[in-house]
Amino acid sequence: MLLAPFAVLFLAVFVVPIGYAVYQSLFRVKRSGLGLEPPQTVFAGLDNYTRVLADDAFLKGVGRVLAFGLVQVPMMLGLALLLALLLDSRVVRLKRFFRLAYFLPFAIPGVIAAVLWAFLYVPGISPLVDLGKGMGVDVDFLSADMILFSIGNIVTWSWTGYNMLILYTSLQSVPQELYEAAELDGCSGVQIAWHIKVPLVRPALTLTGVFSIIGTLQLFGEPMVLRPMTSAISTNYTPVMLSYQAAFGLNDYNFAAAVAVVLALATFTLSYGFLRLSTRGSR
């Protein structure tokens, strides 16, 4: 009885939508008579999945977000770990203030954060661009060469504090006796952090890594906000944008559902693989 509310919500917002997406992906809309006759929905089997796996835009989008994640995720988690270790050290003052300051960007909705940073990227109104020009450096944050780094900066700014809080909470659960014993053995603060704190927060690092992989493959809000401001971002720039464009731009809901299912399977595979790799040898 106590699990019933969770079970109902889980079925309504998770199981049913997934099942419906899988169902939709098995059909296609058939038009005949030069488009004058009403379209018919017919069973297509795995044809939509074949289209997805053969679609050049989908493959490029997956490769793009994977390349993005290989750079952005380690940098973000490394920065989050460093901030958590600093907050957990004894030399830092005003811990409550800095904890709130680091977490505050996460409290700002992702779309709003992307809009804020977009104004810092657009030439003519960006103080960052003007500052670079004043120093003799002409940087176009919205160019094809820089756009992924610009998106990565927004994501890192938004999510580092969230991951930092998870790691910091994990550090708070470490018994203080371990630190005292290490200090008696002559360990410095850096040695304590590297040999005691980091290994003990490994499960939290794994958790944040899984969340980051899932978020990377679902990259959508930031490029959608920046797309009107640059030609470097197409409507098929990421897999989720491709699915969105297919559904609401081309009215091809069946193909969009197939993209969503394939992306979900890829996300599960990568997340599970990372989880297995991270927990190897920890038992």
Side-chain angles (χ1 to χ4, degrees):
M1 183 179 63
L2 295 176
L3 288 175
F6 165 78
V8 171
L9 287 174
F10 183 76
L11 288 173
V13 303
F14 192 79
V15 176
V16 172
I18 290 178
Y20 185 66
V22 173
Y23 172 79
Q24 285 288 334
S25 68
L26 299 177
F27 293 85
R28 65 180 177 87
V29 176
K30 179 181 179 181
R31 293 178 173 84
S32 58
L34 300 178
L36 299 178
E37 297 181 4
Q40 295 179 336
T41 302
V42 298
F43 182 75
L46 300 178
D47 289 350
N48 287 318
Y49 294 99
T50 303
R51 287 178 57 196
V52 172
L53 297 177
D55 190 280
D56 188 58
F58 175 79
L59 298 178
K60 287 183 178 180
V62 171
R64 191 175 290 116
V65 295
L66 289 178
F68 172 85
L70 286 175
V71 177
Q72 188 270 331
V73 171
M75 290 184 60
M76 177 179 63
L77 295 184
L79 181 58
L81 178 60
L82 177 61
L83 294 177
L85 290 173
L86 288 174
L87 287 178
D88 191 60
S89 66
R90 298 178 180 178
V91 298
V92 175
R93 298 293 182 266
L94 302 175
K95 290 186 178 181
R96 291 184 178 180
F97 169 77
F98 286 110
R99 188 165 62 236
L100 177 62
Y102 296 151
F103 183 75
L104 186 60
F106 176 73
I108 300 175
V111 174
I112 303 301
V115 172
L116 292 174
W117 277 102
F119 284 105
L120 296 176
Y121 291 154
V122 176
I125 62 175
S126 170
L128 298 179
V129 175
D130 294 339
L131 179 63
K133 289 182 178 179
M135 300 173 61
V137 180
D138 189 8
V139 180
D140 185 1
F141 293 103
L142 299 177
S143 64
D145 295 331
M146 289 291 298
I147 192 63
L148 270 182
F149 294 98
S150 299
I151 296 174
N153 174 65
I154 299 174
V155 176
T156 302
W157 182 81
S158 299
W159 288 92
T160 296
Y162 171 81
N163 293 309
M164 178 275 300
L165 192 62
I166 294 177
L167 298 174
Y168 178 72
T169 303
S170 180
L171 285 171
Q172 294 297 292
S173 64
V174 178
Q176 294 296 318
E177 292 80 4
L178 293 177
Y179 304 150
E180 296 173 358
E183 290 176 351
L184 291 176
D185 289 338
C187 291
S188 64
V190 175
Q191 290 174 323
I192 292 175
W194 182 253
H195 295 290
I196 297 178
K197 293 184 178 181
V198 173
L200 289 178
V201 299
R202 183 177 176 181
L205 276 172
T206 300
L207 176 66
T208 54
V210 171
F211 287 165
S212 300
I213 291 174
I214 295 173
T216 296
L217 290 174
Q218 293 178 347
L219 189 64
F220 178 73
E222 293 80 5
M224 279 294 290
V225 171
L226 296 178
R227 191 173 70 85
M229 306 176 185
T230 175
S231 59
I233 300 178
S234 64
T235 56
N236 304 325
Y237 194 70
T238 69
V240 179
M241 291 178 67
L242 172 64
S243 179
Y244 177 86
Q245 173 66 15
F248 302 105
L250 304 176
N251 293 325
D252 193 349
Y253 298 102
N254 306 113
F255 178 74
V259 172
V261 173
V262 172
L263 185 61
L265 292 175
T267 303
F268 170 79
T269 302
L270 288 175
S271 301
Y272 181 75
F274 174 79
L275 186 62
R276 293 283 294 180
L277 184 65
S278 301
T279 56
R280 181 185 298 177
S282 62
R283 297 178 181 179

